[in-house]
Amino acid sequence: GAVVSQHPSRVICKSGTSVKIECRSLDFQATTMFWYRQFPKQSLMLMATSNEGSKATYEQGVEKDKFLINHASLTLSTLTVTSAHPEDSSFYICSASLASYSNQPQHFGDGTRLSIL
Amino acid sequence: GQSLEQPSEVTAVEGAIVQINCTYQTSGFYGLSWYQQHDGGAPTFLSYNALDGLEETGRFSSFLSRSDSYGYLLLQELQMKDSASYFCAVSIKAAGNKLTFGGGTRVLVKP
């Protein structure tokens, strides 16, 4: 149980393109999902907390107009990288947990490798 | 904010034991988690400590000392497949299950 699916797994596109990444909880409902970015050989940096039915909460330094998050249902959150540029190239990973309690493990999607040419 | 320190890299041979230390600074500490990530893959949950002491899960164990703001992950009977990055992460009371990750420790297991 507790499977998180992320799609697409890889995107290669031209500078200026907007890219949408989907994160789905397949066998449970997730009122909260998290979006991370990871550069090569670095740690996971939390970008934002996606809240079902309300606005996302962004971490300091993350541009909310650049990284649009929508959490329209209890099983789906989307991250749209708008007008992507080469510096946005990274590994984007989402996660969700069965409940909002701190002792619940995060279940991660397989990640999306974004390459902007 | 929160900060976590862990060694950047550890090398060991098959069958050995490796201990990965993690020290943290945070207010409102709630728990310490450990995740494993193979190159190109997603992080997977290994262990969680909210109280002082040792949690054992098969070959992997995790320890926490809240008074020392310190924890460690112990990998026993190392196998080649254990070559991966290991991250400690803290959760704080005010943030539900939001995690802040350490920099990660790359473990390289040699034959």
Side-chain angles (χ1 to χ4, degrees):
Chain A
V3 177
V4 175
S5 173
Q6 190 172 338
H7 178 81
S9 59
R10 184 170 185 106
V11 178
I12 302 173
C13 58
K14 294 181 179 178
S15 184
T17 306
S18 291
V19 177
K20 180 187 282 189
I21 303 169
E22 293 187 348
C23 181
R24 294 180 185 272
S25 55
L26 296 185
D27 51 359
F28 65 101
Q29 294 182 332
T31 56
T32 303
M33 292 184 176
F34 300 96
W35 286 97
Y36 297 85
R37 180 167 52 183
Q38 186 177 34
F39 292 106
K41 300 190 187 303
Q42 294 189 22
S43 186
L44 290 85
M45 298 300 297
L46 180 66
M47 299 174 67
T49 303
S50 175
N51 304 299
E52 189 269 335
S54 64
K55 291 182 179 179
T57 305
Y58 290 82
E59 296 298 304
Q60 193 172 8
V62 177
E63 300 175 56
K64 58 181 66 175
D65 294 331
K66 172 76 171 176
F67 300 99
L68 300 179
I69 291 173
N70 184 278
H71 195 149
S73 77
L74 286 171
T75 59
L76 174 64
S77 174
T78 61
L79 168 69
T80 301
V81 184
T82 61
S83 187
H85 289 93
E87 59 266 27
D88 298 321
S89 298
S90 188
F91 191 51
Y92 293 85
I93 318 175
C94 68
S95 74
S97 62
L98 288 167
S100 298
Y101 306 116
S102 296
N103 63 347
Q104 292 297 314
Q106 295 285 327
H107 300 279
F108 286 84
D110 287 337
T112 298
R113 193 161 301 282
L114 178 61
S115 300
I116 308 298
L117 305 178
Chain B
Q2 300 86 45
S3 68
L4 298 94
E5 293 285 335
Q6 53 181 125
S8 59
E9 194 169 298
V10 173
T11 301
V13 297
E14 274 188 296
I17 298 174
V18 162
Q19 179 173 314
I20 302 171
N21 298 322
C22 175
T23 57
Y24 58 86
Q25 289 186 325
T26 185
S27 56
F29 173 85
Y30 199 88
L32 186 71
S33 304
W34 290 92
Y35 287 80
Q36 178 194 61
Q37 185 182 31
H38 288 96
D39 285 346
T44 55
F45 172 77
L46 292 178
S47 188
Y48 174 81
N49 296 71
L51 302 175
D52 287 356
L54 190 67
E55 293 281 343
E56 296 181 80
T57 310
R59 295 186 298 113
F60 296 173
S61 304
S62 60
F63 172 83
L64 176 67
S65 169
R66 296 173 67 110
S67 59
D68 296 323
S69 298
Y70 162 77
Y72 67 72
L73 179 70
L74 194 68
L75 315 179
Q76 301 181 74
E77 300 173 26
L78 274 180
Q79 301 176 8
M80 297 296 291
K81 67 178 181 180
D82 298 329
S83 292
S85 291
Y86 294 83
F87 296 90
C88 58
V90 293
S91 49
I92 62 174
K93 292 176 183 175
N97 55 359
K98 182 172 110 171
L99 296 175
T100 300
F101 284 83
T105 299
R106 288 184 67 87
V107 173
L108 177 62
V109 182
K110 294 186 174 181

